[in-house]
Amino acid sequence: KEGGGKLKSKRVMLLGSSESGKSTFAKQMQVLFGKGFDDDTRWHHKTIIAQNICEILRETVDGLHKDELDTRCPVPIPEVQQLIQAALFEKRLSPDQIDTAQKLWKDEEMNQYFHKYTTMPQIMTYFMPKLDSLEETPPTDQDIITCRELTSETSETTYEVDGLSISLIDIGGRRGERKKWTPVFNKEQIDVVLFFASLSGYDEVLSEDMKTNRLQESLNLYKEIINHKHLVDSKIILVLSQVDRFREKIQNKSIDICFPDYEGTNNFEESLEFVKKKFHKKFHGESLTPTPPNGHKSARPKSPRPSGQNHLDCEKYVLVSSILDLTDIKKVAMAALNPDDFFSKEWAIAKRPEKQPEKEIKGKERKGKGKGKGDKKED
Ligand SMILES: Nc1nc2c(ncn2[C@@H]2O[C@H](COP(=O)(O)OP(=O)(O)O)[C@@H](O)[C@H]2O)c(=O)[nH]1
Ligand SMILES: [Mg+2]
């Protein structure tokens, strides 16, 4: 506690590339541990939802050839164009515009194009079927959590969780926004970084350049963050997010689209393990420190983090989460509050041999003692 009996806040920063789920987690925290969403926030999200809908329409219309649009479109083209523009000039969709959007969505042929051309399938399947109810009621918590909103302003919100205070910093993750990160690291000690990497990004590209694979971008960014000189004393927790979408997608699409060296099956656990190993390798891999002037390279690469977290932690400090599961969100919050405690318990449970319960004690003893017998890894 700080002087005056006030709880000392743990500063937790959300990092990760764009659309990895940082702001969604922040919104969940607001619902679970904060005051929820006030009227202003709900009003603001009405605009965001309208923009999301217009964006989906724009992508669909852009995907069609002009003559295709002319022959297939069930409503006059100027009406569609006006609707696409609405997001730019108006804060809400008028009843007529909603009607137009609905006609397009309900048209069988157009509906196929929506599915084919949108880069926001999840937002589409959530909001398009409930277009008619959108104008009547203020957005629900779930609407606010689901819509897609670009983060350009850094926010810091304090919550009380389990009697402890947590100060959560959300920041933009797009490439152009990342220059804002270091000044925040510099300003005050960051106790914990929650590094979000979307598992379902394995077959998606960054919206910034429309070509870089999202999961590859996350891997590279993770490496930068674990080696960042201003974060050596911060605990870095890897949150592998959007596991629900990942689970669904891999049934039809192998992760070899992102990792050509993957030779496994489409099995969920096997695929997930492979991705986890890719992240671990970023940690164990070659140090970013340049070769010393005498040219001598040590046989084993040094841990890239000279103080703070040791190399064991990387393997331990991993969580898999989905916004659809509130238990996951609570787990991430608990982990951020007290990483050492949280992960030593999780680790002991995960490593507990099924038929020899007495060995569990050994697992606990290992805590903080470096590499133990059971921790063999392929470096
Ligand atoms: N299905 C699913 N969608 C998610 C999950 N986390 C985030 N999303 C969606 O992914 C999109 C981008 O998330 P956002 O939190 O804005 O990413 P940020 O750029 O890292 O802040 C939003 O539309 C979210 O609704 C998840 O765990 N599961
Ligand atoms: Mg965000």
Short mmCIF file of all heavy atoms in Angstrom, two decimals, residues 170-217:
data_model
loop_
_atom_site.label_atom_id
_atom_site.label_comp_id
_atom_site.label_asym_id
_atom_site.label_seq_id
_atom_site.Cartn_x
_atom_site.Cartn_y
_atom_site.Cartn_z
N ASP A 170 -4.52 0.91 -22.48
CA ASP A 170 -4.81 0.40 -23.84
C ASP A 170 -4.25 1.42 -24.83
O ASP A 170 -4.36 2.63 -24.63
CB ASP A 170 -6.34 0.24 -24.03
CG ASP A 170 -6.68 -0.41 -25.37
OD1 ASP A 170 -5.80 -1.06 -25.97
OD2 ASP A 170 -7.84 -0.27 -25.81
N ILE A 171 -3.67 0.90 -25.90
CA ILE A 171 -2.98 1.76 -26.86
C ILE A 171 -3.16 1.19 -28.26
O ILE A 171 -3.43 0.00 -28.40
CB ILE A 171 -1.49 1.88 -26.43
CG1 ILE A 171 -0.79 3.06 -27.08
CG2 ILE A 171 -0.71 0.59 -26.67
CD1 ILE A 171 0.49 3.49 -26.36
N GLY A 172 -3.01 2.04 -29.27
CA GLY A 172 -3.15 1.57 -30.65
C GLY A 172 -2.04 0.59 -31.00
O GLY A 172 -0.91 0.73 -30.55
N GLY A 173 -2.38 -0.42 -31.80
CA GLY A 173 -1.40 -1.44 -32.15
C GLY A 173 -0.99 -1.45 -33.61
O GLY A 173 -0.10 -2.20 -34.02
N ARG A 174 -1.64 -0.56 -34.42
CA ARG A 174 -1.25 -0.53 -35.83
C ARG A 174 0.18 -0.03 -35.95
O ARG A 174 0.67 0.69 -35.06
CB ARG A 174 -2.20 0.41 -36.60
CG ARG A 174 -3.49 -0.25 -37.04
CD ARG A 174 -4.50 0.77 -37.49
NE ARG A 174 -4.91 1.60 -36.35
CZ ARG A 174 -5.29 2.86 -36.45
NH1 ARG A 174 -5.31 3.45 -37.60
NH2 ARG A 174 -5.66 3.54 -35.37
N ARG A 175 0.81 -0.38 -37.05
CA ARG A 175 2.22 -0.03 -37.21
C ARG A 175 2.47 1.45 -36.95
O ARG A 175 3.41 1.82 -36.26
CB ARG A 175 2.70 -0.42 -38.60
CG ARG A 175 2.91 -1.92 -38.73
CD ARG A 175 3.36 -2.27 -40.10
NE ARG A 175 3.75 -3.68 -40.18
CZ ARG A 175 4.05 -4.30 -41.30
NH1 ARG A 175 4.02 -3.65 -42.45
NH2 ARG A 175 4.40 -5.56 -41.28
N GLY A 176 1.62 2.30 -37.51
CA GLY A 176 1.81 3.74 -37.37
C GLY A 176 1.61 4.25 -35.95
O GLY A 176 2.00 5.36 -35.61
N GLU A 177 0.97 3.44 -35.12
CA GLU A 177 0.65 3.87 -33.74
C GLU A 177 1.76 3.46 -32.76
O GLU A 177 1.79 3.93 -31.62
CB GLU A 177 -0.65 3.22 -33.27
CG GLU A 177 -1.90 3.64 -34.02
CD GLU A 177 -2.35 5.04 -33.65
OE1 GLU A 177 -2.28 5.37 -32.47
OE2 GLU A 177 -2.73 5.79 -34.56
N ARG A 178 2.63 2.55 -33.19
CA ARG A 178 3.55 1.94 -32.21
C ARG A 178 4.62 2.88 -31.69
O ARG A 178 5.25 2.59 -30.67
CB ARG A 178 4.18 0.67 -32.80
CG ARG A 178 3.15 -0.43 -33.00
CD ARG A 178 3.75 -1.69 -33.56
NE ARG A 178 2.73 -2.45 -34.27
CZ ARG A 178 2.96 -3.32 -35.22
NH1 ARG A 178 4.20 -3.58 -35.60
NH2 ARG A 178 1.97 -3.96 -35.82
N LYS A 179 4.81 4.01 -32.41
CA LYS A 179 5.79 4.98 -31.91
C LYS A 179 5.34 5.59 -30.58
O LYS A 179 6.14 6.16 -29.85
CB LYS A 179 6.08 6.07 -32.95
CG LYS A 179 4.86 6.81 -33.42
CD LYS A 179 5.24 7.82 -34.49
CE LYS A 179 4.04 8.57 -35.03
NZ LYS A 179 2.99 7.75 -35.65
N LYS A 180 4.08 5.42 -30.28
CA LYS A 180 3.55 5.97 -29.01
C LYS A 180 3.89 5.06 -27.82
O LYS A 180 3.65 5.43 -26.68
CB LYS A 180 2.02 6.11 -29.10
CG LYS A 180 1.55 7.11 -30.13
CD LYS A 180 0.02 7.16 -30.12
CE LYS A 180 -0.49 8.10 -31.22
NZ LYS A 180 -1.95 7.92 -31.44
N TRP A 181 4.37 3.85 -28.10
CA TRP A 181 4.57 2.90 -27.01
C TRP A 181 5.72 3.29 -26.08
O TRP A 181 5.55 3.32 -24.86
CB TRP A 181 4.84 1.48 -27.57
CG TRP A 181 3.67 0.86 -28.27
CD1 TRP A 181 2.47 1.44 -28.55
CD2 TRP A 181 3.59 -0.47 -28.80
NE1 TRP A 181 1.65 0.55 -29.22
CE2 TRP A 181 2.31 -0.62 -29.39
CE3 TRP A 181 4.47 -1.55 -28.83
CZ2 TRP A 181 1.89 -1.81 -29.98
CZ3 TRP A 181 4.06 -2.74 -29.43
CH2 TRP A 181 2.78 -2.86 -30.00
N THR A 182 6.89 3.56 -26.67
CA THR A 182 8.07 3.80 -25.83
C THR A 182 7.88 4.96 -24.84
O THR A 182 8.25 4.82 -23.68
CB THR A 182 9.32 3.98 -26.71
OG1 THR A 182 9.40 2.85 -27.56
CG2 THR A 182 10.60 4.08 -25.89
N PRO A 183 7.30 6.10 -25.26
CA PRO A 183 7.09 7.16 -24.26
C PRO A 183 6.28 6.67 -23.05
O PRO A 183 6.51 7.13 -21.94
CB PRO A 183 6.32 8.23 -25.03
CG PRO A 183 6.66 8.00 -26.47
CD PRO A 183 6.89 6.53 -26.61
N VAL A 184 5.37 5.74 -23.29
CA VAL A 184 4.58 5.21 -22.15
C VAL A 184 5.46 4.33 -21.27
O VAL A 184 5.41 4.40 -20.04
CB VAL A 184 3.32 4.43 -22.64
CG1 VAL A 184 2.51 3.91 -21.47
CG2 VAL A 184 2.45 5.31 -23.52
N PHE A 185 6.32 3.50 -21.89
CA PHE A 185 7.23 2.65 -21.09
C PHE A 185 8.13 3.53 -20.23
O PHE A 185 8.47 3.20 -19.10
CB PHE A 185 8.16 1.80 -21.98
CG PHE A 185 7.50 0.92 -23.00
CD1 PHE A 185 8.20 0.50 -24.12
CD2 PHE A 185 6.20 0.50 -22.85
CE1 PHE A 185 7.62 -0.32 -25.08
CE2 PHE A 185 5.60 -0.32 -23.81
CZ PHE A 185 6.31 -0.72 -24.92
N ASN A 186 8.53 4.66 -20.83
CA ASN A 186 9.48 5.56 -20.16
C ASN A 186 8.87 6.31 -19.00
O ASN A 186 9.55 6.61 -18.03
CB ASN A 186 9.98 6.62 -21.16
CG ASN A 186 11.19 6.11 -21.92
OD1 ASN A 186 11.93 5.29 -21.40
ND2 ASN A 186 11.37 6.60 -23.14
N LYS A 187 7.60 6.63 -19.13
CA LYS A 187 6.96 7.54 -18.18
C LYS A 187 6.95 6.96 -16.76
O LYS A 187 7.31 7.62 -15.79
CB LYS A 187 5.53 7.82 -18.65
CG LYS A 187 4.94 9.07 -18.07
CD LYS A 187 3.57 9.33 -18.69
CE LYS A 187 2.59 9.76 -17.61
NZ LYS A 187 1.23 9.35 -17.89
N GLU A 188 6.54 5.74 -16.65
CA GLU A 188 6.42 5.10 -15.34
C GLU A 188 6.61 3.60 -15.53
O GLU A 188 6.26 3.08 -16.60
CB GLU A 188 5.02 5.37 -14.78
CG GLU A 188 5.00 5.61 -13.28
CD GLU A 188 3.57 5.87 -12.81
OE1 GLU A 188 2.91 6.79 -13.34
OE2 GLU A 188 3.12 5.11 -11.95
N GLN A 189 7.11 2.94 -14.52
CA GLN A 189 7.35 1.50 -14.63
C GLN A 189 6.09 0.73 -15.06
O GLN A 189 5.01 0.92 -14.50
CB GLN A 189 7.86 0.99 -13.26
CG GLN A 189 7.82 -0.51 -13.06
CD GLN A 189 8.87 -1.25 -13.92
OE1 GLN A 189 9.85 -0.67 -14.37
NE2 GLN A 189 8.63 -2.52 -14.15
N ILE A 190 6.26 -0.13 -16.05
CA ILE A 190 5.16 -1.02 -16.44
C ILE A 190 5.40 -2.34 -15.70
O ILE A 190 6.43 -2.99 -15.89
CB ILE A 190 5.18 -1.28 -17.97
CG1 ILE A 190 5.07 0.02 -18.78
CG2 ILE A 190 4.06 -2.26 -18.37
CD1 ILE A 190 3.76 0.74 -18.67
N ASP A 191 4.49 -2.73 -14.85
CA ASP A 191 4.70 -3.97 -14.08
C ASP A 191 4.47 -5.19 -14.94
O ASP A 191 5.23 -6.15 -14.90
CB ASP A 191 3.75 -4.02 -12.87
CG ASP A 191 3.98 -2.84 -11.94
OD1 ASP A 191 5.12 -2.69 -11.49
OD2 ASP A 191 3.04 -2.06 -11.70
N VAL A 192 3.40 -5.13 -15.71
CA VAL A 192 3.04 -6.31 -16.51
C VAL A 192 2.63 -5.88 -17.92
O VAL A 192 1.92 -4.89 -18.09
CB VAL A 192 1.84 -7.06 -15.86
CG1 VAL A 192 1.37 -8.21 -16.74
CG2 VAL A 192 2.20 -7.58 -14.47
N VAL A 193 3.12 -6.62 -18.90
CA VAL A 193 2.65 -6.42 -20.28
C VAL A 193 1.78 -7.62 -20.62
O VAL A 193 2.20 -8.76 -20.44
CB VAL A 193 3.84 -6.35 -21.27
CG1 VAL A 193 3.35 -6.45 -22.71
CG2 VAL A 193 4.64 -5.07 -21.07
N LEU A 194 0.58 -7.34 -21.09
CA LEU A 194 -0.23 -8.43 -21.63
C LEU A 194 -0.05 -8.34 -23.13
O LEU A 194 -0.55 -7.40 -23.77
CB LEU A 194 -1.70 -8.27 -21.26
CG LEU A 194 -2.07 -8.49 -19.79
CD1 LEU A 194 -3.54 -8.15 -19.55
CD2 LEU A 194 -1.80 -9.93 -19.37
N PHE A 195 0.70 -9.26 -23.69
CA PHE A 195 0.96 -9.21 -25.12
C PHE A 195 -0.08 -10.06 -25.84
O PHE A 195 -0.08 -11.29 -25.73
CB PHE A 195 2.38 -9.69 -25.46
CG PHE A 195 2.71 -9.52 -26.91
CD1 PHE A 195 3.31 -8.35 -27.36
CD2 PHE A 195 2.37 -10.50 -27.84
CE1 PHE A 195 3.56 -8.16 -28.72
CE2 PHE A 195 2.62 -10.32 -29.20
CZ PHE A 195 3.22 -9.15 -29.63
N PHE A 196 -0.95 -9.41 -26.59
CA PHE A 196 -2.02 -10.11 -27.30
C PHE A 196 -1.57 -10.51 -28.70
O PHE A 196 -1.03 -9.70 -29.45
CB PHE A 196 -3.27 -9.21 -27.42
CG PHE A 196 -4.11 -9.21 -26.18
CD1 PHE A 196 -3.69 -8.53 -25.04
CD2 PHE A 196 -5.30 -9.91 -26.12
CE1 PHE A 196 -4.44 -8.54 -23.87
CE2 PHE A 196 -6.08 -9.94 -24.96
CZ PHE A 196 -5.64 -9.25 -23.83
N ALA A 197 -1.78 -11.78 -29.02
CA ALA A 197 -1.51 -12.26 -30.37
C ALA A 197 -2.72 -13.09 -30.79
O ALA A 197 -3.07 -14.06 -30.10
CB ALA A 197 -0.25 -13.11 -30.38
N SER A 198 -3.35 -12.72 -31.89
CA SER A 198 -4.56 -13.43 -32.29
C SER A 198 -4.20 -14.72 -33.03
O SER A 198 -3.58 -14.70 -34.09
CB SER A 198 -5.41 -12.53 -33.19
OG SER A 198 -6.41 -13.31 -33.80
N LEU A 199 -4.62 -15.84 -32.44
CA LEU A 199 -4.36 -17.14 -33.08
C LEU A 199 -5.05 -17.20 -34.44
O LEU A 199 -4.51 -17.75 -35.39
CB LEU A 199 -4.93 -18.26 -32.20
CG LEU A 199 -4.14 -18.59 -30.94
CD1 LEU A 199 -4.98 -19.46 -30.02
CD2 LEU A 199 -2.84 -19.29 -31.29
N SER A 200 -6.24 -16.59 -34.50
CA SER A 200 -7.00 -16.70 -35.75
C SER A 200 -6.38 -15.85 -36.86
O SER A 200 -6.84 -15.86 -37.99
CB SER A 200 -8.46 -16.37 -35.54
OG SER A 200 -8.62 -14.99 -35.48
N GLY A 201 -5.33 -15.12 -36.53
CA GLY A 201 -4.64 -14.33 -37.56
C GLY A 201 -3.77 -15.16 -38.47
O GLY A 201 -3.15 -14.63 -39.39
N TYR A 202 -3.73 -16.48 -38.28
CA TYR A 202 -2.80 -17.30 -39.07
C TYR A 202 -3.12 -17.31 -40.57
O TYR A 202 -2.24 -17.54 -41.39
CB TYR A 202 -2.72 -18.74 -38.52
CG TYR A 202 -3.89 -19.64 -38.90
CD1 TYR A 202 -3.81 -20.50 -39.98
CD2 TYR A 202 -5.06 -19.63 -38.16
CE1 TYR A 202 -4.88 -21.33 -40.33
CE2 TYR A 202 -6.12 -20.46 -38.49
CZ TYR A 202 -6.03 -21.30 -39.58
OH TYR A 202 -7.08 -22.10 -39.92
N ASP A 203 -4.38 -17.00 -40.91
CA ASP A 203 -4.71 -16.95 -42.34
C ASP A 203 -5.21 -15.55 -42.73
O ASP A 203 -5.93 -15.40 -43.70
CB ASP A 203 -5.75 -18.02 -42.70
CG ASP A 203 -7.13 -17.68 -42.14
OD1 ASP A 203 -7.22 -16.91 -41.16
OD2 ASP A 203 -8.13 -18.19 -42.68
N GLU A 204 -4.83 -14.55 -41.93
CA GLU A 204 -5.30 -13.19 -42.22
C GLU A 204 -4.10 -12.28 -42.48
O GLU A 204 -2.99 -12.58 -42.05
CB GLU A 204 -6.08 -12.64 -41.01
CG GLU A 204 -7.37 -13.38 -40.74
CD GLU A 204 -8.03 -12.99 -39.42
OE1 GLU A 204 -7.50 -12.12 -38.70
OE2 GLU A 204 -9.06 -13.59 -39.10
N VAL A 205 -4.37 -11.17 -43.16
CA VAL A 205 -3.29 -10.21 -43.40
C VAL A 205 -3.56 -8.91 -42.64
O VAL A 205 -4.69 -8.62 -42.28
CB VAL A 205 -3.10 -9.89 -44.91
CG1 VAL A 205 -2.52 -11.07 -45.65
CG2 VAL A 205 -4.40 -9.43 -45.53
N LEU A 206 -2.50 -8.16 -42.39
CA LEU A 206 -2.64 -6.90 -41.67
C LEU A 206 -3.45 -5.91 -42.50
O LEU A 206 -3.23 -5.81 -43.71
CB LEU A 206 -1.26 -6.26 -41.47
CG LEU A 206 -0.32 -6.76 -40.40
CD1 LEU A 206 0.85 -5.80 -40.31
CD2 LEU A 206 -1.01 -6.87 -39.05
N SER A 207 -4.34 -5.16 -41.83
CA SER A 207 -5.10 -4.18 -42.60
C SER A 207 -4.20 -3.01 -43.00
O SER A 207 -4.53 -2.27 -43.93
CB SER A 207 -6.31 -3.70 -41.80
OG SER A 207 -5.91 -3.27 -40.53
N GLU A 208 -3.05 -2.85 -42.34
CA GLU A 208 -2.15 -1.73 -42.69
C GLU A 208 -1.57 -1.89 -44.09
O GLU A 208 -1.41 -0.92 -44.80
CB GLU A 208 -0.98 -1.64 -41.70
CG GLU A 208 -1.33 -1.18 -40.31
CD GLU A 208 -1.52 -2.34 -39.35
OE1 GLU A 208 -2.26 -3.30 -39.69
OE2 GLU A 208 -0.92 -2.30 -38.26
N ASP A 209 -1.19 -3.13 -44.45
CA ASP A 209 -0.55 -3.27 -45.78
C ASP A 209 -1.23 -4.32 -46.66
O ASP A 209 -0.85 -4.50 -47.81
CB ASP A 209 0.95 -3.57 -45.63
CG ASP A 209 1.21 -4.96 -45.04
OD1 ASP A 209 0.23 -5.67 -44.71
OD2 ASP A 209 2.38 -5.34 -44.90
N MET A 210 -2.21 -5.00 -46.11
CA MET A 210 -2.97 -6.04 -46.82
C MET A 210 -2.08 -7.16 -47.37
O MET A 210 -2.46 -7.85 -48.30
CB MET A 210 -3.81 -5.43 -47.96
CG MET A 210 -4.92 -4.50 -47.50
SD MET A 210 -6.00 -5.20 -46.24
CE MET A 210 -7.10 -6.17 -47.22
N LYS A 211 -0.88 -7.33 -46.81
CA LYS A 211 -0.09 -8.47 -47.27
C LYS A 211 0.63 -9.24 -46.16
O LYS A 211 0.79 -10.45 -46.27
CB LYS A 211 0.89 -8.05 -48.39
CG LYS A 211 1.90 -7.00 -48.00
CD LYS A 211 2.90 -6.81 -49.14
CE LYS A 211 4.08 -6.01 -48.63
NZ LYS A 211 4.41 -4.86 -49.42
N THR A 212 1.05 -8.56 -45.08
CA THR A 212 1.79 -9.27 -44.04
C THR A 212 0.86 -10.17 -43.24
O THR A 212 -0.21 -9.73 -42.80
CB THR A 212 2.47 -8.27 -43.07
OG1 THR A 212 3.17 -7.32 -43.86
CG2 THR A 212 3.41 -8.95 -42.10
N ASN A 213 1.28 -11.42 -43.05
CA ASN A 213 0.48 -12.35 -42.27
C ASN A 213 0.39 -11.86 -40.81
O ASN A 213 1.38 -11.48 -40.21
CB ASN A 213 1.11 -13.74 -42.34
CG ASN A 213 0.35 -14.75 -41.52
OD1 ASN A 213 0.47 -14.79 -40.29
ND2 ASN A 213 -0.44 -15.57 -42.19
N ARG A 214 -0.83 -11.88 -40.27
CA ARG A 214 -1.04 -11.31 -38.92
C ARG A 214 -0.30 -12.07 -37.83
O ARG A 214 0.26 -11.46 -36.92
CB ARG A 214 -2.52 -11.32 -38.59
CG ARG A 214 -3.24 -10.20 -39.23
CD ARG A 214 -4.53 -9.88 -38.47
NE ARG A 214 -5.07 -8.67 -39.06
CZ ARG A 214 -6.35 -8.40 -39.19
NH1 ARG A 214 -7.23 -9.26 -38.75
NH2 ARG A 214 -6.75 -7.28 -39.73
N LEU A 215 -0.29 -13.38 -37.92
CA LEU A 215 0.37 -14.14 -36.86
C LEU A 215 1.89 -13.98 -36.95
O LEU A 215 2.58 -13.88 -35.93
CB LEU A 215 -0.04 -15.62 -36.93
CG LEU A 215 0.30 -16.48 -35.72
CD1 LEU A 215 -0.15 -15.85 -34.41
CD2 LEU A 215 -0.34 -17.86 -35.85
N GLN A 216 2.41 -13.89 -38.17
CA GLN A 216 3.85 -13.64 -38.33
C GLN A 216 4.21 -12.27 -37.78
O GLN A 216 5.24 -12.11 -37.13
CB GLN A 216 4.26 -13.73 -39.82
CG GLN A 216 4.18 -15.13 -40.40
CD GLN A 216 5.24 -16.07 -39.83
OE1 GLN A 216 6.14 -15.66 -39.09
NE2 GLN A 216 5.14 -17.36 -40.14
N GLU A 217 3.35 -11.30 -38.01
CA GLU A 217 3.59 -9.96 -37.47
C GLU A 217 3.62 -10.02 -35.94
O GLU A 217 4.47 -9.42 -35.29
CB GLU A 217 2.48 -9.00 -37.94
CG GLU A 217 2.54 -7.60 -37.34
CD GLU A 217 3.47 -6.66 -38.11
OE1 GLU A 217 4.19 -7.14 -39.01
OE2 GLU A 217 3.48 -5.46 -37.79
#
